[in-house]
Amino acid sequence: MEQLAWQKSTFSGEDADCVEIAADGELIHIRESDDPATAITTTKAKLSAWLQGAKAGEFDHLIG
């Protein structure tokens, strides 16, 4: 994996471990900030579908 520009949510705070995300063409990479060597990869289309579901509340039961 080449050098990626990792980004985290501003809701995570400065020192908090969090999920980070980076784009590489049509691929999206996701990792935990406290385990940066391990990442999963998906496509922009699949992530977009998941985010639409999250915004609609489909996964709220996992955190509530």
Side-chain angles (χ1 to χ4, degrees):
M1 194 177 320
E2 66 184 62
Q3 191 74 303
L4 298 171
W6 292 97
Q7 178 182 352
K8 69 178 184 173
S9 169
T10 57
F11 290 93
S12 297
E14 287 296 318
D15 298 322
D17 290 333
C18 60
V19 174
E20 298 175 320
I21 191 166
D24 180 19
E26 283 300 309
L27 297 178
I28 300 293
H29 306 277
I30 303 168
R31 69 181 185 183
E32 296 274 350
S33 62
D34 60 341
D35 186 14
T38 304
I40 62 169
T41 303
T42 190
T43 64
K44 287 182 178 182
K46 290 177 183 178
L47 180 61
S48 177
W50 189 89
L51 287 172
Q52 289 174 353
K55 288 177 182 179
E58 292 180 14
F59 307 106
D60 288 357
H61 66 284
L62 297 172
I63 58 171

